[in-house]
Amino acid sequence: MPEKKSKDRAPYHHGDLRRVIIETAQTMLGEDQGWHFTLREVARRAGVSHAAPYKHFPDKACLLAELAMIGFDQLRESLTTAVGERSQSARNELLIAATAYVQFGVDHPSLYRLMFSAEVNQAAGVHKGERALGALAILLDLLERGQKEGVFRQRPFLSQAAACWAQVHGLTLLALDGLLIPEKVGATPIEDALSTLLEGVAIP
Amino acid sequence: MPEKKSKDRAPYHHGDLRRVIIETAQTMLGEDQGWHFTLREVARRAGVSHAAPYKHFPDKACLLAELAMIGFDQLRESLTTAVGERSQSARNELLIAATAYVQFGVDHPSLYRLMFSAEVNQAAGVHKGERALGALAILLDLLERGQKEGVFRQRPFLSQAAACWAQVHGLTLLALDGLLIPEKVGATPIEDALSTLLEGVAIP
DNA sequence: ACCTGAACACCGTTCAAGT
DNA sequence: ACCTGAACACCGTTCAAGT
């Protein structure tokens, strides 16, 4: 059989379609049309029939959930590399981690929204909580270190972490919604908000 | 004509279907199946044909956007009545407002998610920002008062407001996602997080 | 002026059938 | 073992037609 030059039909039975589907979906997430793409469109782009994905995912929700889980891993990566070699003070590292968190959301709007959508919440169940906590592991470490060094206020780690997480999470989503109106403010409200967070966490 | 006892077909041509549709949709929002109900289902429950809503709303997105706008008004109401007769200290009122905010989200999960969904963002456009800021007017007042009284740190209002908003917004959504795991913590993380916020805003 | 019914294009999902 | 094609039930939206 000669090569087909019609379309880009990759060799059907050889590559793992599963990975191709995930990568295609990730590409579509990156196009910022939101995460409400259609499963049929994913199949179309992947060059397979619309029924093919069902051999690798029980349903659309499961694919979305998997994308979200990968997203949490990517977020952890981003935070880890941002904080880097922990040569900084706890206070500085907290600011770096917080900034990197918001940056991740702003860089991947559709993915970030998907990660915290109610749909994924339902499809991923308990796994989501674990994965999310995993992404925040470096934050937990940071808070523990800061408290030990006596530069952060003494609080239950998870509570202090919740406060930090809520701040960056809320900031990220407000930014994605275009609700931070930076044009109405001197400095960028994100930086300001993070310094307010710092004042709540760190001891003067 | 005698009364019809088949179904609850309200008098077609007399009542404003527009209001009926909105109320029906609000009821469905309250049932916490998320805000992804179908327009046809709304029409069904309202007792009209599935084409009828299009005489009152250009499309589904516009209905959702209107529900969201109403939601922001309801949020403003909640905050206003919670803070009440402003007989408290600025510090206390901030805590009250923040708590009421999170409570509103927890009480109306689907509505709150809808209000901050990307879809509504697109359909409501600029109106959303205005409406949202309107809901937070009392917070702005509070911060201004606190700063004038010298009990809050001196910051640009909108930046300080952004920090507060992000905190309660993030806290609300994390709570809705079941991500605050109160069972793993002594006190409720929401209270703890709000007190961390307070420490970032108020002067010791 | 307001609503209905049929129609269109599109989905998610299933399943017998192909290679 | 993996994929296809037709089929089903369902949507959002439109539009000529009804009262």
Side-chain angles (χ1 to χ4, degrees):
Chain A
M1 269 180 254
E3 306 257 323
K4 298 191 190 170
K5 82 176 170 192
S6 67
K7 279 284 185 170
D8 48 9
R9 293 211 159 223
Y12 274 29
H13 278 249
H14 101 292
D16 39 357
L17 181 53
R18 188 170 211 282
R19 182 141 302 154
V20 173
I21 288 174
I22 288 183
E23 286 170 357
T24 305
Q26 284 174 328
T27 299
M28 294 172 73
L29 272 184
E31 288 166 5
D32 281 349
Q33 311 300 328
W35 53 269
H36 273 102
F37 49 74
T38 169
L39 199 51
R40 283 171 111 112
E41 168 86 11
V42 176
R44 236 172 265 136
R45 292 216 204 179
V48 294
S49 85
H50 60 260
Y54 286 90
K55 299 296 155 187
H56 300 275
F57 302 92
D59 56 21
K60 185 186 177 186
C62 288
L63 170 59
L64 291 176
E66 179 136 353
L67 293 174
M69 294 308 147
I70 297 174
F72 280 115
D73 292 346
Q74 292 171 324
L75 173 58
R76 194 195 57 224
E77 280 281 309
S78 284
L79 297 188
T80 305
T81 72
V83 170
E85 303 298 326
R86 68 175 57 201
S87 51
Q88 311 259 328
S89 70
R91 196 190 154 93
N92 261 2
E93 283 191 10
L94 177 56
L95 198 58
I96 290 171
T99 305
Y101 186 104
V102 178
Q103 190 66 49
F104 179 88
V106 172
D107 286 345
H108 312 285
S110 299
L111 172 59
Y112 192 82
R113 283 199 137 103
L114 171 64
M115 284 159 62
F116 292 96
S117 73
E119 285 81 354
V120 161
N121 227 29
Q122 199 160 9
V126 185
H127 297 296
K128 174 168 164 181
E130 297 168 7
R131 220 54 168 264
L133 261 196
L136 296 178
I138 198 170
L139 177 64
L140 274 286
D141 287 353
L142 222 50
L143 295 178
E144 186 175 7
R145 181 157 80 93
Q147 286 197 18
K148 257 184 193 144
E149 293 177 359
V151 296
F152 288 172
R153 300 180 203 274
Q154 290 292 132
R155 294 282 153 121
F157 293 139
L158 287 179
S159 285
Q160 207 170 42
C164 295
W165 192 13
Q167 183 72 43
V168 292
H169 184 50
L171 227 36
T172 303
L173 289 173
L174 292 181
L176 291 188
D177 281 358
L179 252 21
L180 250 30
I181 38 175
E183 50 276 7
K184 277 199 178 185
V185 129
T188 144
I190 292 183
E191 287 178 30
D192 284 8
L194 290 183
S195 76
T196 291
L197 170 66
L198 216 51
E199 278 167 321
V201 171
I203 295 175
Chain B
M1 272 179 253
E3 308 256 319
K4 298 192 190 167
K5 80 177 173 194
S6 69
K7 280 282 187 168
D8 48 10
R9 291 214 158 217
Y12 273 31
H13 277 248
H14 102 292
D16 38 359
L17 180 54
R18 187 168 213 282
R19 183 141 302 153
V20 173
I21 287 174
I22 288 182
E23 286 169 357
T24 305
Q26 284 174 328
T27 300
M28 293 171 72
L29 272 184
E31 288 166 4
D32 281 349
Q33 312 301 327
W35 54 268
H36 273 102
F37 49 74
T38 167
L39 199 50
R40 285 171 109 112
E41 168 84 11
V42 177
R44 235 172 266 137
R45 291 216 205 179
V48 294
S49 85
H50 61 259
Y54 286 90
K55 299 297 156 185
H56 301 274
F57 303 92
D59 55 20
K60 186 186 177 186
C62 288
L63 170 58
L64 291 177
E66 179 136 354
L67 293 173
M69 294 308 146
I70 298 175
F72 280 115
D73 293 345
Q74 292 171 325
L75 173 59
R76 194 195 56 225
E77 280 280 308
S78 283
L79 297 188
T80 306
T81 71
V83 170
E85 304 297 327
R86 67 174 59 202
S87 52
Q88 311 259 329
S89 70
R91 196 189 153 93
N92 261 2
E93 282 191 11
L94 177 57
L95 198 58
I96 290 171
T99 306
Y101 187 104
V102 178
Q103 190 66 51
F104 179 88
V106 172
D107 286 344
H108 313 285
S110 299
L111 172 59
Y112 192 84
R113 284 197 137 105
L114 171 63
M115 285 159 61
F116 293 95
S117 73
E119 285 82 353
V120 161
N121 227 31
Q122 198 161 7
V126 184
H127 296 296
K128 174 168 164 180
E130 298 168 6
R131 219 56 167 261
L133 262 197
L136 295 178
I138 198 170
L139 177 64
L140 273 286
D141 287 352
L142 221 51
L143 294 178
E144 186 175 7
R145 182 156 80 93
Q147 287 197 18
K148 256 182 193 144
E149 293 177 359
V151 296
F152 287 172
R153 300 179 203 274
Q154 291 292 132
R155 294 282 153 120
F157 293 139
L158 287 179
S159 285
Q160 208 172 40
C164 295
W165 192 11
Q167 182 73 43
V168 292
H169 183 51
L171 227 35
T172 303
L173 288 173
L174 291 182
L176 291 187
D177 280 359
L179 252 22
L180 250 30
I181 39 175
E183 50 273 8
K184 277 198 179 186
V185 131
T188 143
I190 292 183
E191 286 178 31
D192 284 9
L194 290 183
S195 77
T196 290
L197 170 65
L198 216 52
E199 278 166 322
V201 171
I203 296 174

